C-alpha cells in the first residue's frame, strides 16, 4: 500500500511529482492496510498516530490551498464574460476551444482555435482574449502573441486563475 507513495517520493527527487493531489488516491488503500494490521503489534497506536500525522498534512493542504485544488474554470469564464465587450474574440492555442469553455460559457462569444500561429487569419475584432492554458505545449516560442501584436493589437490586461494561467486581453 505504501509502494506507490514510496515510488512517487523517490521519483520526486528527480521530477517534481510529489503533489498532494497526485498521491491522494493512495490514502484509502493505505488506511485499509493500516486498519488490517492494527492490534497485531504492541506499538500499533503509535504507528497509527504517526501514520495519520503524515497523511493528514497533504489532505489539509489540498483542502485549504486553492493552488492544489481543481482549476476554477467556472469563475474564470464568468468573470471574462461579465467584463468582455460584445466585439470580443476568444482565442485558444489549441485545436479547438477547451471543453470547460464549451461547458461554462453562456454569452456565445466567437472563438478561434489556432494550432499554427504562422497561419493565423487577419482579425477584425476590436478586443481579443487569449488563453495561455496549454500554450507552452502548442506555442512554446509564443508566436501567437507576436502575430497578434503584428496585427496592431497590444496587451491591455489579463485575468489569472490558479491552474488555468493567464487570459490575456488585447485591444487595438
Amino acid at each position: 500500500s505504501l509502494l506507490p507513495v514510496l515510488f512517487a517520493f523517490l521519483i520526486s527527487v528527480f521530477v517534481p511529482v510529489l503533489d498532494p493531489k497526485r498521491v491522494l488516491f493512495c490514502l484509502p488503500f493505505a488506511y485499509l492496510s493500516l486498519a488490517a494490521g492494527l492490534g497485531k503489534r504492541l506499538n500499533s497506536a503509535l504507528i497509527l498516530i504517526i501514520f495519520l500525522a503524515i497523511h493528514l498534512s497533504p489532505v489539509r493542504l489540498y483542502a485549504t490551498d486553492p493552488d492544489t485544488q481543481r482549476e476554477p474554470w467556472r469563475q474564470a469564464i464568468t468573470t471574462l464574460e461579465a467584463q468582455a465587450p460584445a466585439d470580443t474574440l476568444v482565442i485558444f492555442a489549441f485545436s479547438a476551444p477547451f471543453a470547460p469553455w464549451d461547458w461554462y460559457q453562456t454569452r456565445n462569444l466567437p472563438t478561434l482555435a489556432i494550432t499554427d500561429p504562422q497561419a493565423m487569419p487577419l482579425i477584425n475584432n476590436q478586443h481579443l482574449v487569449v488563453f495561455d492554458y496549454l500554450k507552452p505545449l502548442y506555442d512554446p516560442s509564443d508566436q501567437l502573441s507576436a502575430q497578434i501584436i503584428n496585427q496592431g493589437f497590444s496587451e491591455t490586461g489579463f485575468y489569472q486563475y490558479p491552474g488555468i494561467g493567464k487570459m490575456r486581453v488585447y485591444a487595438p
Side-chain angles (χ1 to χ4, degrees), residues 98-111:
F98 302 130
W101 173 263
D102 287 337
W103 182 261
Y104 291 120
Q105 63 90 19
T106 58
R107 276 187 56 192
N108 293 321
L109 292 170
T111 61

Side-chain angles (χ1 to χ4, degrees), residues 13 43 52 55 57-58 78 116 122 124 128 147 149 164 170:
V13 172
N43 297 329
L52 287 175
H55 284 88
S57 69
T78 301
D116 181 13
L122 189 62
N124 298 334
L128 305 177
Q147 291 292 336
I149 290 170
I164 299 172
Y170 292 89

Side-chain angles (χ1 to χ4, degrees), residues 98-139:
F98 302 130
W101 173 263
D102 287 337
W103 182 261
Y104 291 120
Q105 63 90 19
T106 58
R107 276 187 56 192
N108 293 321
L109 292 170
T111 61
L112 177 63
I114 298 176
T115 54
D116 181 13
Q118 297 299 331
M120 188 171 120
L122 189 62
I123 297 174
N124 298 334
N125 294 63
Q126 291 296 313
H127 296 89
L128 305 177
V129 175
V130 179
F131 277 80
D132 281 356
Y133 187 76
L134 297 182
K135 198 160 111 178
L137 295 175
Y138 289 89
D139 186 18

Side-chain angles (χ1 to χ4, degrees), residues 31-42:
Y31 285 133
L32 286 172
S33 299
L34 180 68
L38 281 179
K40 294 182 179 179
R41 292 185 153 180
L42 187 59

Side-chain angles (χ1 to χ4, degrees), residues 59-171:
V59 171
R60 181 195 50 78
L61 179 67
Y62 182 75
T64 59
D65 185 7
D67 289 338
T68 61
Q69 297 169 359
R70 71 180 199 94
E71 299 158 344
W73 281 99
R74 180 182 306 196
Q75 294 88 340
I77 293 169
T78 301
T79 300
L80 175 67
E81 286 184 328
Q83 297 180 6
D87 60 350
T88 299
L89 174 66
V90 181
I91 299 177
F92 302 92
F94 193 62
S95 59
F98 302 130
W101 173 263
D102 287 337
W103 182 261
Y104 291 120
Q105 63 90 19
T106 58
R107 276 187 56 192
N108 293 321
L109 292 170
T111 61
L112 177 63
I114 298 176
T115 54
D116 181 13
Q118 297 299 331
M120 188 171 120
L122 189 62
I123 297 174
N124 298 334
N125 294 63
Q126 291 296 313
H127 296 89
L128 305 177
V129 175
V130 179
F131 277 80
D132 281 356
Y133 187 76
L134 297 182
K135 198 160 111 178
L137 295 175
Y138 289 89
D139 186 18
S141 58
D142 204 17
Q143 294 285 324
L144 182 59
S145 295
Q147 291 292 336
I148 290 171
I149 290 170
N150 284 345
Q151 289 192 22
F153 290 89
S154 60
E155 187 174 338
T156 59
F158 63 88
Y159 307 99
Q160 186 163 356
Y161 287 87
I164 299 172
K166 289 184 179 179
M167 298 178 293
R168 299 179 189 276
V169 180
Y170 292 89

Side-chain angles (χ1 to χ4, degrees), residues 19-41:
D19 193 6
K21 64 185 174 187
R22 292 193 176 128
V23 294
L24 203 55
F25 69 92
C26 296
L27 284 180
F29 186 70
Y31 285 133
L32 286 172
S33 299
L34 180 68
L38 281 179
K40 294 182 179 179
R41 292 185 153 180

